[in-house]
């Protein structure tokens, strides 16, 4: 199985500041046939299911604010929130869907400083 | 608007079978041949685990790392799909989600989720 490791486990950022969450995969999730990384990011708020934010490592899901961006390729990825809003407090997960079984990172808890 | 609703018991005894149904409304489960449907669970410590995915035709693929045997089936006449986990143990205690994957991410990324249901395995 591909192991997804996120860092940090928790993060406190001031409102309006940048938040950066990292995700590393134990194997590359870049598909050579289409040069796409099979990597997604999710946001989960308390009592809610996860919400898809980003797929293909950097493509924003419809309706997701443009302060959310994804970057990286191969085995190292980053989710960036450019200007933290109060409603962004949540746990964030990365997921690889390159190979079976698809696997998730352990989550990063984002709070307001 | 698509809605997914998980139905099933919240308490299952060890060694018995966990059975859940995902009721789909707002769209036909077989209306688009690019959609796949899946089960994902979330453990009390918040870790997420994919269980399996099904296509409306009945084609399935499962997480080979699961310790308990799993079966996913679809019933297009009732617009729903189901999950069975046999011989459950306390380790199967989790919130169970059903979800739909869209066509545009090329694989199992999950764009629509049901609210999930907590299943506790305990005698």
């Amino acid at each position: 199985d591909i192991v997804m490791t996120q860092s940090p486990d928790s993060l406190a950022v001031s409102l309006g500041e940048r938040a950066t969450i990292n995700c590393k995969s134990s194997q590359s999730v870049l598909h050579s046939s289409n040069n796409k990384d099979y990597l997604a990011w999710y946001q989960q708020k308390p009592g809610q299911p996860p919400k898809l934010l980003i797929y293909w490592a950097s493509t924003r899901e419809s309706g997701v604010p443009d302060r959310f961006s994804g970057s990286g390729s191969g085995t190292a990825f980053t989710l960036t929130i450019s200007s933290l809003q109060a409603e962004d407090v949540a746990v964030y997960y990365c997921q690889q869907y390159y190979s079976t079984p698809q696997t998730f990172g352990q989550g990063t808890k984002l709070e307001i400083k | 608007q698509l809605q997914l609703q998980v139905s099933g018991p919240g308490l299952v005894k060890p060694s018995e079978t966990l059975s859940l149904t995902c009721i789909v409304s707002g769209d036909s489960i077989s209306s688009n041949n690019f959609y796949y449907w899946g089960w994902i669970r979330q453990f009390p410590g918040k870790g997420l685990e994919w269980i399996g995915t099904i296509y409306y035709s009945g084609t399935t693929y499962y997480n080979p790392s699961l310790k308990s045997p799993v079966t996913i089936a679809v019933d297009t006449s009732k617009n729903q799909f189901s999950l069975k986990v046999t011989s459950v143990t306390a380790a199967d205690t989790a919130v169970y989600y059903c979800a739909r994957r869209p066509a545009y991410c090329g694989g199992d990324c999950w764009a629509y989720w049901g609210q999930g249901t907590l299943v506790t395995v305990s005698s």
Side-chain angles (χ1 to χ4, degrees), chain A residues 50-86:
Chain A
K51 173 187 175 184
L52 179 65
L53 298 176
I54 302 278
Y55 58 94
W56 293 137
S58 60
T59 302
R60 262 189 309 276
E61 171 73 335
S62 176
V64 172
D66 61 7
R67 64 180 181 273
F68 291 90
S69 63
S71 62
S73 184
T75 62
F77 302 91
T78 300
L79 174 70
T80 302
I81 308 172
S82 59
S83 176
L84 189 70
Q85 305 299 303

PDB file of all heavy atoms in Angstrom, chain A residues 50-86:
ATOM      1  N   PRO A  50     -16.052  14.532   4.830  1.00  0.00           N
ATOM      2  CA  PRO A  50     -15.012  15.268   4.104  1.00  0.00           C
ATOM      3  C   PRO A  50     -15.578  15.934   2.857  1.00  0.00           C
ATOM      4  O   PRO A  50     -16.544  15.451   2.259  1.00  0.00           O
ATOM      5  CB  PRO A  50     -14.000  14.174   3.735  1.00  0.00           C
ATOM      6  CG  PRO A  50     -14.199  13.107   4.767  1.00  0.00           C
ATOM      7  CD  PRO A  50     -15.674  13.122   5.036  1.00  0.00           C
ATOM      8  N   LYS A  51     -14.967  17.043   2.496  1.00  0.00           N
ATOM      9  CA  LYS A  51     -15.360  17.783   1.301  1.00  0.00           C
ATOM     10  C   LYS A  51     -14.170  17.836   0.359  1.00  0.00           C
ATOM     11  O   LYS A  51     -13.056  18.208   0.774  1.00  0.00           O
ATOM     12  CB  LYS A  51     -15.778  19.205   1.688  1.00  0.00           C
ATOM     13  CG  LYS A  51     -16.049  20.125   0.516  1.00  0.00           C
ATOM     14  CD  LYS A  51     -16.282  21.554   0.982  1.00  0.00           C
ATOM     15  CE  LYS A  51     -16.432  22.500  -0.199  1.00  0.00           C
ATOM     16  NZ  LYS A  51     -16.577  23.911   0.237  1.00  0.00           N
ATOM     17  N   LEU A  52     -14.394  17.467  -0.887  1.00  0.00           N
ATOM     18  CA  LEU A  52     -13.318  17.494  -1.876  1.00  0.00           C
ATOM     19  C   LEU A  52     -12.943  18.934  -2.206  1.00  0.00           C
ATOM     20  O   LEU A  52     -13.797  19.740  -2.584  1.00  0.00           O
ATOM     21  CB  LEU A  52     -13.766  16.760  -3.144  1.00  0.00           C
ATOM     22  CG  LEU A  52     -12.765  16.719  -4.301  1.00  0.00           C
ATOM     23  CD1 LEU A  52     -11.524  15.925  -3.922  1.00  0.00           C
ATOM     24  CD2 LEU A  52     -13.428  16.135  -5.541  1.00  0.00           C
ATOM     25  N   LEU A  53     -11.654  19.258  -2.061  1.00  0.00           N
ATOM     26  CA  LEU A  53     -11.158  20.592  -2.399  1.00  0.00           C
ATOM     27  C   LEU A  53     -10.391  20.601  -3.712  1.00  0.00           C
ATOM     28  O   LEU A  53     -10.560  21.496  -4.544  1.00  0.00           O
ATOM     29  CB  LEU A  53     -10.206  21.098  -1.294  1.00  0.00           C
ATOM     30  CG  LEU A  53     -10.736  21.303   0.116  1.00  0.00           C
ATOM     31  CD1 LEU A  53      -9.600  21.714   1.030  1.00  0.00           C
ATOM     32  CD2 LEU A  53     -11.844  22.355   0.119  1.00  0.00           C
ATOM     33  N   ILE A  54      -9.498  19.640  -3.850  1.00  0.00           N
ATOM     34  CA  ILE A  54      -8.511  19.624  -4.927  1.00  0.00           C
ATOM     35  C   ILE A  54      -8.403  18.191  -5.457  1.00  0.00           C
ATOM     36  O   ILE A  54      -8.412  17.227  -4.666  1.00  0.00           O
ATOM     37  CB  ILE A  54      -7.111  20.043  -4.407  1.00  0.00           C
ATOM     38  CG1 ILE A  54      -7.136  21.431  -3.763  1.00  0.00           C
ATOM     39  CG2 ILE A  54      -6.058  19.936  -5.508  1.00  0.00           C
ATOM     40  CD1 ILE A  54      -7.053  22.591  -4.699  1.00  0.00           C
ATOM     41  N   TYR A  55      -8.298  18.048  -6.774  1.00  0.00           N
ATOM     42  CA  TYR A  55      -7.941  16.758  -7.375  1.00  0.00           C
ATOM     43  C   TYR A  55      -6.877  17.005  -8.432  1.00  0.00           C
ATOM     44  O   TYR A  55      -6.569  18.156  -8.764  1.00  0.00           O
ATOM     45  CB  TYR A  55      -9.180  16.059  -7.957  1.00  0.00           C
ATOM     46  CG  TYR A  55      -9.917  16.850  -8.998  1.00  0.00           C
ATOM     47  CD1 TYR A  55      -9.648  16.674 -10.357  1.00  0.00           C
ATOM     48  CD2 TYR A  55     -10.876  17.797  -8.637  1.00  0.00           C
ATOM     49  CE1 TYR A  55     -10.317  17.408 -11.314  1.00  0.00           C
ATOM     50  CE2 TYR A  55     -11.540  18.549  -9.589  1.00  0.00           C
ATOM     51  CZ  TYR A  55     -11.260  18.337 -10.926  1.00  0.00           C
ATOM     52  OH  TYR A  55     -11.932  19.078 -11.871  1.00  0.00           O
ATOM     53  N   TRP A  56      -6.328  15.927  -8.991  1.00  0.00           N
ATOM     54  CA  TRP A  56      -5.165  16.061  -9.885  1.00  0.00           C
ATOM     55  C   TRP A  56      -4.080  16.930  -9.224  1.00  0.00           C
ATOM     56  O   TRP A  56      -3.353  17.626  -9.913  1.00  0.00           O
ATOM     57  CB  TRP A  56      -5.543  16.689 -11.218  1.00  0.00           C
ATOM     58  CG  TRP A  56      -6.420  15.939 -12.160  1.00  0.00           C
ATOM     59  CD1 TRP A  56      -7.452  16.462 -12.876  1.00  0.00           C
ATOM     60  CD2 TRP A  56      -6.377  14.561 -12.526  1.00  0.00           C
ATOM     61  NE1 TRP A  56      -8.037  15.512 -13.659  1.00  0.00           N
ATOM     62  CE2 TRP A  56      -7.400  14.330 -13.470  1.00  0.00           C
ATOM     63  CE3 TRP A  56      -5.564  13.476 -12.139  1.00  0.00           C
ATOM     64  CZ2 TRP A  56      -7.643  13.065 -14.036  1.00  0.00           C
ATOM     65  CZ3 TRP A  56      -5.807  12.224 -12.713  1.00  0.00           C
ATOM     66  CH2 TRP A  56      -6.824  12.032 -13.634  1.00  0.00           C
ATOM     67  N   ALA A  57      -3.989  16.903  -7.909  1.00  0.00           N
ATOM     68  CA  ALA A  57      -2.970  17.608  -7.120  1.00  0.00           C
ATOM     69  C   ALA A  57      -3.137  19.123  -7.110  1.00  0.00           C
ATOM     70  O   ALA A  57      -2.713  19.779  -6.145  1.00  0.00           O
ATOM     71  CB  ALA A  57      -1.556  17.247  -7.589  1.00  0.00           C
ATOM     72  N   SER A  58      -3.730  19.691  -8.161  1.00  0.00           N
ATOM     73  CA  SER A  58      -3.762  21.151  -8.229  1.00  0.00           C
ATOM     74  C   SER A  58      -5.032  21.730  -8.836  1.00  0.00           C
ATOM     75  O   SER A  58      -5.133  22.955  -8.991  1.00  0.00           O
ATOM     76  CB  SER A  58      -2.555  21.658  -9.041  1.00  0.00           C
ATOM     77  OG  SER A  58      -2.594  21.140 -10.354  1.00  0.00           O
ATOM     78  N   THR A  59      -5.989  20.899  -9.196  1.00  0.00           N
ATOM     79  CA  THR A  59      -7.239  21.377  -9.800  1.00  0.00           C
ATOM     80  C   THR A  59      -8.281  21.563  -8.711  1.00  0.00           C
ATOM     81  O   THR A  59      -8.632  20.618  -8.002  1.00  0.00           O
ATOM     82  CB  THR A  59      -7.742  20.385 -10.854  1.00  0.00           C
ATOM     83  OG1 THR A  59      -6.746  20.209 -11.865  1.00  0.00           O
ATOM     84  CG2 THR A  59      -9.023  20.905 -11.486  1.00  0.00           C
ATOM     85  N   ARG A  60      -8.772  22.783  -8.587  1.00  0.00           N
ATOM     86  CA  ARG A  60      -9.789  23.064  -7.576  1.00  0.00           C
ATOM     87  C   ARG A  60     -11.139  22.511  -7.990  1.00  0.00           C
ATOM     88  O   ARG A  60     -11.568  22.654  -9.140  1.00  0.00           O
ATOM     89  CB  ARG A  60      -9.942  24.584  -7.358  1.00  0.00           C
ATOM     90  CG  ARG A  60      -9.195  25.135  -6.164  1.00  0.00           C
ATOM     91  CD  ARG A  60      -9.590  26.594  -5.899  1.00  0.00           C
ATOM     92  NE  ARG A  60      -9.502  27.409  -7.075  1.00  0.00           N
ATOM     93  CZ  ARG A  60      -8.389  27.973  -7.490  1.00  0.00           C
ATOM     94  NH1 ARG A  60      -7.268  27.798  -6.807  1.00  0.00           N
ATOM     95  NH2 ARG A  60      -8.376  28.712  -8.586  1.00  0.00           N
ATOM     96  N   GLU A  61     -11.816  21.889  -7.055  1.00  0.00           N
ATOM     97  CA  GLU A  61     -13.191  21.434  -7.260  1.00  0.00           C
ATOM     98  C   GLU A  61     -14.080  22.674  -7.450  1.00  0.00           C
ATOM     99  O   GLU A  61     -13.811  23.760  -6.909  1.00  0.00           O
ATOM    100  CB  GLU A  61     -13.657  20.611  -6.067  1.00  0.00           C
ATOM    101  CG  GLU A  61     -15.129  20.248  -6.020  1.00  0.00           C
ATOM    102  CD  GLU A  61     -15.526  19.172  -7.034  1.00  0.00           C
ATOM    103  OE1 GLU A  61     -14.845  19.031  -8.060  1.00  0.00           O
ATOM    104  OE2 GLU A  61     -16.549  18.502  -6.782  1.00  0.00           O
ATOM    105  N   SER A  62     -15.127  22.514  -8.237  1.00  0.00           N
ATOM    106  CA  SER A  62     -16.061  23.593  -8.464  1.00  0.00           C
ATOM    107  C   SER A  62     -16.598  24.161  -7.148  1.00  0.00           C
ATOM    108  O   SER A  62     -16.992  23.410  -6.255  1.00  0.00           O
ATOM    109  CB  SER A  62     -17.230  23.085  -9.314  1.00  0.00           C
ATOM    110  OG  SER A  62     -18.204  24.072  -9.476  1.00  0.00           O
ATOM    111  N   GLY A  63     -16.592  25.493  -7.028  1.00  0.00           N
ATOM    112  CA  GLY A  63     -17.131  26.143  -5.836  1.00  0.00           C
ATOM    113  C   GLY A  63     -16.133  26.349  -4.717  1.00  0.00           C
ATOM    114  O   GLY A  63     -16.434  27.021  -3.727  1.00  0.00           O
ATOM    115  N   VAL A  64     -14.947  25.805  -4.845  1.00  0.00           N
ATOM    116  CA  VAL A  64     -13.925  25.959  -3.798  1.00  0.00           C
ATOM    117  C   VAL A  64     -13.247  27.326  -3.973  1.00  0.00           C
ATOM    118  O   VAL A  64     -12.808  27.664  -5.077  1.00  0.00           O
ATOM    119  CB  VAL A  64     -12.880  24.828  -3.870  1.00  0.00           C
ATOM    120  CG1 VAL A  64     -11.711  25.082  -2.913  1.00  0.00           C
ATOM    121  CG2 VAL A  64     -13.548  23.487  -3.565  1.00  0.00           C
ATOM    122  N   PRO A  65     -13.153  28.110  -2.905  1.00  0.00           N
ATOM    123  CA  PRO A  65     -12.546  29.449  -3.031  1.00  0.00           C
ATOM    124  C   PRO A  65     -11.116  29.388  -3.547  1.00  0.00           C
ATOM    125  O   PRO A  65     -10.374  28.437  -3.271  1.00  0.00           O
ATOM    126  CB  PRO A  65     -12.577  29.973  -1.583  1.00  0.00           C
ATOM    127  CG  PRO A  65     -13.668  29.213  -0.919  1.00  0.00           C
ATOM    128  CD  PRO A  65     -13.668  27.857  -1.540  1.00  0.00           C
ATOM    129  N   ASP A  66     -10.727  30.421  -4.297  1.00  0.00           N
ATOM    130  CA  ASP A  66      -9.398  30.383  -4.914  1.00  0.00           C
ATOM    131  C   ASP A  66      -8.270  30.651  -3.927  1.00  0.00           C
ATOM    132  O   ASP A  66      -7.098  30.639  -4.322  1.00  0.00           O
ATOM    133  CB  ASP A  66      -9.325  31.327  -6.109  1.00  0.00           C
ATOM    134  CG  ASP A  66      -9.575  32.772  -5.749  1.00  0.00           C
ATOM    135  OD1 ASP A  66      -9.681  33.069  -4.535  1.00  0.00           O
ATOM    136  OD2 ASP A  66      -9.673  33.608  -6.669  1.00  0.00           O
ATOM    137  N   ARG A  67      -8.573  30.876  -2.665  1.00  0.00           N
ATOM    138  CA  ARG A  67      -7.501  30.960  -1.669  1.00  0.00           C
ATOM    139  C   ARG A  67      -6.898  29.577  -1.386  1.00  0.00           C
ATOM    140  O   ARG A  67      -5.821  29.479  -0.800  1.00  0.00           O
ATOM    141  CB  ARG A  67      -7.970  31.609  -0.374  1.00  0.00           C
ATOM    142  CG  ARG A  67      -9.031  30.847   0.390  1.00  0.00           C
ATOM    143  CD  ARG A  67      -9.418  31.586   1.680  1.00  0.00           C
ATOM    144  NE  ARG A  67     -10.426  30.868   2.461  1.00  0.00           N
ATOM    145  CZ  ARG A  67     -11.715  31.010   2.266  1.00  0.00           C
ATOM    146  NH1 ARG A  67     -12.163  31.831   1.323  1.00  0.00           N
ATOM    147  NH2 ARG A  67     -12.583  30.333   3.020  1.00  0.00           N
ATOM    148  N   PHE A  68      -7.600  28.520  -1.809  1.00  0.00           N
ATOM    149  CA  PHE A  68      -7.094  27.155  -1.676  1.00  0.00           C
ATOM    150  C   PHE A  68      -6.339  26.786  -2.954  1.00  0.00           C
ATOM    151  O   PHE A  68      -6.885  26.909  -4.056  1.00  0.00           O
ATOM    152  CB  PHE A  68      -8.225  26.150  -1.449  1.00  0.00           C
ATOM    153  CG  PHE A  68      -8.902  26.267  -0.117  1.00  0.00           C
ATOM    154  CD1 PHE A  68     -10.010  27.089   0.047  1.00  0.00           C
ATOM    155  CD2 PHE A  68      -8.430  25.566   0.983  1.00  0.00           C
ATOM    156  CE1 PHE A  68     -10.643  27.201   1.281  1.00  0.00           C
ATOM    157  CE2 PHE A  68      -9.050  25.672   2.212  1.00  0.00           C
ATOM    158  CZ  PHE A  68     -10.154  26.493   2.367  1.00  0.00           C
ATOM    159  N   SER A  69      -5.115  26.308  -2.815  1.00  0.00           N
ATOM    160  CA  SER A  69      -4.375  25.858  -3.977  1.00  0.00           C
ATOM    161  C   SER A  69      -3.553  24.625  -3.612  1.00  0.00           C
ATOM    162  O   SER A  69      -3.125  24.458  -2.465  1.00  0.00           O
ATOM    163  CB  SER A  69      -3.465  26.963  -4.516  1.00  0.00           C
ATOM    164  OG  SER A  69      -2.488  27.309  -3.555  1.00  0.00           O
ATOM    165  N   GLY A  70      -3.357  23.787  -4.605  1.00  0.00           N
ATOM    166  CA  GLY A  70      -2.550  22.588  -4.427  1.00  0.00           C
ATOM    167  C   GLY A  70      -1.370  22.615  -5.375  1.00  0.00           C
ATOM    168  O   GLY A  70      -1.468  23.116  -6.494  1.00  0.00           O
ATOM    169  N   SER A  71      -0.263  22.059  -4.913  1.00  0.00           N
ATOM    170  CA  SER A  71       0.933  22.012  -5.751  1.00  0.00           C
ATOM    171  C   SER A  71       1.715  20.744  -5.436  1.00  0.00           C
ATOM    172  O   SER A  71       1.395  20.004  -4.493  1.00  0.00           O
ATOM    173  CB  SER A  71       1.808  23.256  -5.516  1.00  0.00           C
ATOM    174  OG  SER A  71       2.252  23.301  -4.164  1.00  0.00           O
ATOM    175  N   GLY A  72       2.752  20.516  -6.245  1.00  0.00           N
ATOM    176  CA  GLY A  72       3.613  19.359  -6.047  1.00  0.00           C
ATOM    177  C   GLY A  72       3.407  18.311  -7.120  1.00  0.00           C
ATOM    178  O   GLY A  72       2.448  18.366  -7.899  1.00  0.00           O
ATOM    179  N   SER A  73       4.292  17.334  -7.130  1.00  0.00           N
ATOM    180  CA  SER A  73       4.207  16.253  -8.099  1.00  0.00           C
ATOM    181  C   SER A  73       5.059  15.080  -7.620  1.00  0.00           C
ATOM    182  O   SER A  73       6.027  15.269  -6.872  1.00  0.00           O
ATOM    183  CB  SER A  73       4.677  16.712  -9.474  1.00  0.00           C
ATOM    184  OG  SER A  73       4.512  15.672 -10.438  1.00  0.00           O
ATOM    185  N   GLY A  74       4.681  13.900  -8.097  1.00  0.00           N
ATOM    186  CA  GLY A  74       5.479  12.718  -7.757  1.00  0.00           C
ATOM    187  C   GLY A  74       5.176  12.182  -6.379  1.00  0.00           C
ATOM    188  O   GLY A  74       4.229  11.399  -6.208  1.00  0.00           O
ATOM    189  N   THR A  75       5.959  12.612  -5.401  1.00  0.00           N
ATOM    190  CA  THR A  75       5.786  12.122  -4.035  1.00  0.00           C
ATOM    191  C   THR A  75       5.609  13.231  -3.000  1.00  0.00           C
ATOM    192  O   THR A  75       5.397  12.928  -1.818  1.00  0.00           O
ATOM    193  CB  THR A  75       6.981  11.256  -3.593  1.00  0.00           C
ATOM    194  OG1 THR A  75       8.166  12.069  -3.617  1.00  0.00           O
ATOM    195  CG2 THR A  75       7.173  10.041  -4.497  1.00  0.00           C
ATOM    196  N   ALA A  76       5.702  14.484  -3.391  1.00  0.00           N
ATOM    197  CA  ALA A  76       5.622  15.584  -2.429  1.00  0.00           C
ATOM    198  C   ALA A  76       4.602  16.621  -2.879  1.00  0.00           C
ATOM    199  O   ALA A  76       4.674  17.120  -4.005  1.00  0.00           O
ATOM    200  CB  ALA A  76       6.994  16.242  -2.249  1.00  0.00           C
ATOM    201  N   PHE A  77       3.666  16.922  -1.990  1.00  0.00           N
ATOM    202  CA  PHE A  77       2.543  17.789  -2.327  1.00  0.00           C
ATOM    203  C   PHE A  77       2.285  18.784  -1.201  1.00  0.00           C
ATOM    204  O   PHE A  77       2.625  18.527  -0.042  1.00  0.00           O
ATOM    205  CB  PHE A  77       1.292  16.947  -2.581  1.00  0.00           C
ATOM    206  CG  PHE A  77       1.492  15.958  -3.679  1.00  0.00           C
ATOM    207  CD1 PHE A  77       1.955  14.673  -3.393  1.00  0.00           C
ATOM    208  CD2 PHE A  77       1.253  16.300  -4.998  1.00  0.00           C
ATOM    209  CE1 PHE A  77       2.179  13.755  -4.409  1.00  0.00           C
ATOM    210  CE2 PHE A  77       1.471  15.392  -6.025  1.00  0.00           C
ATOM    211  CZ  PHE A  77       1.935  14.123  -5.732  1.00  0.00           C
ATOM    212  N   THR A  78       1.640  19.890  -1.580  1.00  0.00           N
ATOM    213  CA  THR A  78       1.341  20.944  -0.612  1.00  0.00           C
ATOM    214  C   THR A  78      -0.050  21.489  -0.869  1.00  0.00           C
ATOM    215  O   THR A  78      -0.439  21.704  -2.019  1.00  0.00           O
ATOM    216  CB  THR A  78       2.363  22.092  -0.717  1.00  0.00           C
ATOM    217  OG1 THR A  78       3.677  21.581  -0.459  1.00  0.00           O
ATOM    218  CG2 THR A  78       2.057  23.192   0.290  1.00  0.00           C
ATOM    219  N   LEU A  79      -0.777  21.696   0.226  1.00  0.00           N
ATOM    220  CA  LEU A  79      -2.029  22.440   0.172  1.00  0.00           C
ATOM    221  C   LEU A  79      -1.761  23.779   0.843  1.00  0.00           C
ATOM    222  O   LEU A  79      -1.259  23.825   1.975  1.00  0.00           O
ATOM    223  CB  LEU A  79      -3.145  21.708   0.918  1.00  0.00           C
ATOM    224  CG  LEU A  79      -4.464  22.475   1.039  1.00  0.00           C
ATOM    225  CD1 LEU A  79      -5.164  22.590  -0.316  1.00  0.00           C
ATOM    226  CD2 LEU A  79      -5.395  21.786   2.046  1.00  0.00           C
ATOM    227  N   THR A  80      -2.098  24.857   0.129  1.00  0.00           N
ATOM    228  CA  THR A  80      -1.875  26.201   0.658  1.00  0.00           C
ATOM    229  C   THR A  80      -3.190  26.950   0.736  1.00  0.00           C
ATOM    230  O   THR A  80      -3.985  26.917  -0.216  1.00  0.00           O
ATOM    231  CB  THR A  80      -0.885  26.984  -0.229  1.00  0.00           C
ATOM    232  OG1 THR A  80       0.357  26.275  -0.303  1.00  0.00           O
ATOM    233  CG2 THR A  80      -0.639  28.371   0.336  1.00  0.00           C
ATOM    234  N   ILE A  81      -3.408  27.576   1.879  1.00  0.00           N
ATOM    235  CA  ILE A  81      -4.522  28.512   2.036  1.00  0.00           C
ATOM    236  C   ILE A  81      -3.872  29.885   2.117  1.00  0.00           C
ATOM    237  O   ILE A  81      -3.129  30.177   3.063  1.00  0.00           O
ATOM    238  CB  ILE A  81      -5.362  28.208   3.286  1.00  0.00           C
ATOM    239  CG1 ILE A  81      -5.793  26.739   3.290  1.00  0.00           C
ATOM    240  CG2 ILE A  81      -6.582  29.126   3.335  1.00  0.00           C
ATOM    241  CD1 ILE A  81      -6.461  26.290   4.582  1.00  0.00           C
ATOM    242  N   SER A  82      -4.143  30.721   1.132  1.00  0.00           N
ATOM    243  CA  SER A  82      -3.349  31.954   1.004  1.00  0.00           C
ATOM    244  C   SER A  82      -3.649  32.979   2.089  1.00  0.00           C
ATOM    245  O   SER A  82      -2.755  33.706   2.529  1.00  0.00           O
ATOM    246  CB  SER A  82      -3.579  32.576  -0.373  1.00  0.00           C
ATOM    247  OG  SER A  82      -4.961  32.877  -0.543  1.00  0.00           O
ATOM    248  N   SER A  83      -4.890  33.047   2.512  1.00  0.00           N
ATOM    249  CA  SER A  83      -5.287  34.009   3.529  1.00  0.00           C
ATOM    250  C   SER A  83      -6.355  33.348   4.398  1.00  0.00           C
ATOM    251  O   SER A  83      -7.520  33.265   3.997  1.00  0.00           O
ATOM    252  CB  SER A  83      -5.828  35.277   2.870  1.00  0.00           C
ATOM    253  OG  SER A  83      -6.306  36.187   3.846  1.00  0.00           O
ATOM    254  N   LEU A  84      -5.956  32.877   5.550  1.00  0.00           N
ATOM    255  CA  LEU A  84      -6.823  32.048   6.372  1.00  0.00           C
ATOM    256  C   LEU A  84      -8.072  32.797   6.835  1.00  0.00           C
ATOM    257  O   LEU A  84      -7.987  33.919   7.345  1.00  0.00           O
ATOM    258  CB  LEU A  84      -6.060  31.523   7.582  1.00  0.00           C
ATOM    259  CG  LEU A  84      -6.794  30.467   8.415  1.00  0.00           C
ATOM    260  CD1 LEU A  84      -6.881  29.159   7.641  1.00  0.00           C
ATOM    261  CD2 LEU A  84      -6.107  30.269   9.760  1.00  0.00           C
ATOM    262  N   GLN A  85      -9.213  32.158   6.631  1.00  0.00           N
ATOM    263  CA  GLN A  85     -10.493  32.677   7.116  1.00  0.00           C
ATOM    264  C   GLN A  85     -10.971  31.803   8.281  1.00  0.00           C
ATOM    265  O   GLN A  85     -10.580  30.639   8.387  1.00  0.00           O
ATOM    266  CB  GLN A  85     -11.522  32.666   5.997  1.00  0.00           C
ATOM    267  CG  GLN A  85     -11.083  33.405   4.744  1.00  0.00           C
ATOM    268  CD  GLN A  85     -10.819  34.869   5.000  1.00  0.00           C
ATOM    269  OE1 GLN A  85     -11.689  35.593   5.472  1.00  0.00           O
ATOM    270  NE2 GLN A  85      -9.594  35.311   4.698  1.00  0.00           N
ATOM    271  N   ALA A  86     -11.847  32.345   9.086  1.00  0.00           N
ATOM    272  CA  ALA A  86     -12.335  31.614  10.258  1.00  0.00           C
ATOM    273  C   ALA A  86     -13.014  30.307   9.863  1.00  0.00           C
ATOM    274  O   ALA A  86     -12.911  29.303  10.577  1.00  0.00           O
ATOM    275  CB  ALA A  86     -13.282  32.493  11.070  1.00  0.00           C
TER     276      ALA A  86
END
